[in-house]
Amino acid sequence: MAKLTVRDIDLKNKKVLIRVDFNVPIKDGVITDDNRIVQALPTINYVLDNGGKAILFSHLGRIKTEEDKAKNSLEVVSNRLSELLNKPVLFINETRGEKLESAINNLKSGEALMFENTRFEDLDGKKESKNDPELGKYWASLGDVFINDAFGTAHRAHASNVGISSNIDVAAAGFLLEKEINFIGGTLENPKRPMVAILGGAKVSDKILVIENLLKIADKILIGGGMAFTFYKAMGYEVGKSLLEEDKVELAKELLEKSNGKIILGSDVATAKEFNNDSKRSFYNVDEIPNDEMGLDIGPKSIEEFKEIIKTAKTVVWNGPMGVFEFENFAVGTKEIALSLAEIKDQATTIIGGGDSAAAVIQLGLAEGFTHISTGGGASLEYLEGKVLPGIAAVKDK
Ligand code: AMP
């Protein structure tokens, strides 16, 4: 890749600023999923093993009041990190100042320190989230080199990513960021063909730019989930009580016309009368959806149609579940698609673009079946839209 990575830089005795994404779910003071911490370990261990002094920081939650601060301290995260590294991690409950500076200056090669939630700076004029120039410059001054390993915030220009990068000579990607750039960026640039995109989730409006970008890149785009019903309507079908964005029907028509047959919708759906798991499941062809039914999943024929196309793919990019996967009875389509992707793992690059489809696959226990599951929801969506992500752009080129 053209970007500088942690492998390219001299770390020995250097104060290494590492922006990680430790925005983990915490309930009653206990971390309920430490995956984001685990994912950052390769970069942190690499820095420590190569004689760097690791200075770690992340955002956690949103900080609007003093109360938010109490709930969103990174101390519990720092403790978990220490357990996972099997090494002490010195926690500094400040985001700036003398205590932090002297702790950094006392750090020895191979030691780690974590400072407090970067968004504590948001309480005073959104300094972190608005990339306050003074803050980025200050944080940059605390280290010798900067490593960005937080893909989850790469679509935002914050002081802790872009701000630091712009004020330091050496800004490189960590292993996690590198992986995202290689898999998502690399695939979009140069996919092995045929490339199949699978899009689902609730709304067309959230995915318009993704569809438009992928129409230029993919060979086929399979559409399921709630967003499919706006397309069915555009094709002239009635969709009963299904999710429908009336104001996007015209756009869906245009996309279908423009797509030249690239956009493919299934021929049947699984429906229910009510939006709940126990409502009786029925199956209808898409031209026969009754007025009092709502589509909550793709149907068995659609699953087979999609599977036939997936079988031939050399690259698959998937964003958005095929149905309301939170309801077991309507998770069938999402699960079957995930299984069929796991089957082609040896012949194809299969990528899940974060968010709900990643959550669905993990929840279904099928995470191992994929080449890459992105760690960023919003970031991977913007990447799929073809946008330049500021957090990636700010990493220096080789
Ligand atoms: P997104 O965040 O856009 O990927 O959307 C994910 C959400 O879409 C999940 O919470 C799903 O339950 C929901 N979803 C998927 N299919 C449908 C559907 N047919 N009707 C209503 N919601 C759906």
Side-chain angles (χ1 to χ4, degrees):
M1 70 185 263
K3 291 283 173 193
L4 201 64
T5 80
V6 58
R7 270 186 231 92
D8 302 314
I9 62 183
D10 179 18
L11 298 161
K12 200 160 175 57
N13 286 321
K14 294 280 192 312
K15 291 183 274 187
V16 187
L17 298 164
I18 311 177
R19 172 52 157 115
V20 283
D21 181 358
F22 285 173
N23 186 30
V24 293
I26 297 178
K27 202 163 181 247
D28 302 324
V30 178
I31 297 169
T32 54
D33 178 0
D34 64 3
N35 183 44
R36 285 193 163 146
I37 309 177
V38 172
Q39 297 261 10
L41 294 176
T43 299
I44 301 170
N45 275 320
Y46 184 87
V47 169
L48 298 174
D49 292 347
N50 284 281
K53 307 169 183 179
I55 303 150
L56 297 147
F57 47 99
S58 169
H59 74 288
L60 177 64
R62 288 217 168 88
I63 307 296
K64 290 185 182 144
T65 61
E66 281 294 333
E67 252 176 30
D68 291 338
K69 278 172 112 178
K71 277 185 286 181
N72 289 292
S73 167
L74 275 176
E75 185 161 16
V76 52
V77 175
S78 177
N79 292 339
R80 180 72 190 126
L81 174 65
S82 168
E83 284 168 15
L84 289 167
L85 286 173
N86 206 9
K87 273 192 184 136
V89 175
L90 176 63
F91 180 69
I92 303 294
N93 63 347
E94 305 283 349
T95 49
R96 59 168 83 209
E98 206 188 313
K99 182 168 152 192
L100 175 61
E101 290 158 25
S102 71
I104 289 174
N105 290 330
N106 288 330
L107 216 54
K108 295 195 181 61
S109 161
E111 289 181 350
L113 165 160
M114 165 148 238
F115 70 76
E116 190 52 284
N117 187 348
T118 54
R119 286 200 186 153
F120 278 22
E121 293 282 347
D122 278 353
L123 212 48
D124 178 18
K126 292 214 163 232
K127 289 204 162 91
E128 153 73 330
S129 299
K130 290 203 166 151
N131 189 13
D132 176 80
E134 177 270 334
L135 183 59
K137 198 170 171 185
Y138 171 70
W139 279 337
S141 76
L142 299 176
D144 301 313
V145 296
F146 175 55
I147 291 169
N148 188 5
D149 213 16
F151 178 68
T153 47
H155 58 317
R156 303 273 178 255
H158 288 172
S160 64
N161 56 3
V162 173
I164 298 178
S165 301
S166 343
N167 284 289
I168 204 161
D169 290 340
V170 180
F175 294 122
L176 190 56
L177 189 65
E178 181 192 28
K179 214 161 84 177
E180 300 278 5
I181 297 171
N182 284 346
F183 279 117
I184 307 186
T187 297
L188 293 178
E189 247 168 57
N190 190 17
K192 283 183 279 171
R193 297 193 180 278
M195 173 184 179
V196 176
I198 308 172
L199 298 177
K203 291 185 182 163
V204 182
S205 47
D206 292 342
K207 309 273 160 89
I208 295 167
L209 297 174
V210 175
I211 299 172
E212 283 180 343
N213 190 41
L214 289 177
L215 273 175
K216 291 183 248 160
I217 301 169
D219 298 294
K220 295 253 175 331
I221 302 181
L222 314 181
I223 293 185
M227 66 189 268
F229 295 94
T230 302
F231 283 92
Y232 287 133
K233 186 80 182 180
M235 291 157 88
Y237 305 135
E238 290 309 321
V239 298
K241 294 197 291 179
S242 310
L243 206 64
L244 173 67
E245 285 173 274
E246 284 285 1
D247 61 334
K248 292 291 175 289
V249 173
E250 267 315 302
L251 176 91
K253 254 186 214 164
E254 282 166 29
L255 288 170
L256 284 168
E257 273 162 28
K258 203 161 86 177
S259 102
N260 254 331
K262 262 190 191 179
I263 293 182
I264 293 168
L265 290 122
S267 63
D268 69 344
V269 290
T271 67
K273 285 201 164 39
E274 305 299 331
F275 190 80
N276 69 57
N277 186 48
D278 303 321
S279 189
K280 182 177 171 295
R281 192 162 60 131
S282 305
F283 302 105
Y284 292 98
N285 290 330
V286 291
D287 56 354
E288 299 170 336
I289 302 173
N291 279 341
D292 60 346
E293 294 276 332
M294 65 179 85
L296 296 180
D297 196 4
I298 53 174
K301 289 182 201 162
S302 303
I303 292 174
E304 285 316 308
E305 291 153 10
F306 285 5
K307 277 186 174 176
E308 280 306 306
I309 295 169
I310 288 168
K311 257 193 226 164
T312 65
K314 291 278 187 308
T315 302
V316 180
V317 174
W318 181 12
N319 184 288
M322 295 290 97
V324 185
F325 74 97
E326 297 92 336
F327 299 158
E328 203 185 338
N329 289 334
F330 300 97
V332 179
T334 302
K335 191 170 185 175
E336 287 295 323
I337 295 306
L339 284 169
S340 75
L341 290 174
E343 272 170 29
I344 60 162
K345 197 186 167 191
D346 294 337
Q347 75 184 46
T349 304
T350 55
I351 296 172
I352 302 200
D356 268 326
S357 24
V361 163
I362 293 166
Q363 187 186 311
L364 295 166
L366 297 169
E368 290 306 311
F370 291 83
T371 315
H372 180 63
I373 299 182
S374 174
T375 51
S380 64
L381 208 58
E382 290 197 21
Y383 218 170
L384 294 178
E385 288 172 0
K387 288 193 183 137
V388 174
L389 305 190
I392 294 178
V395 168
K396 313 274 182 213
D397 290 331
K398 268 196 188 170

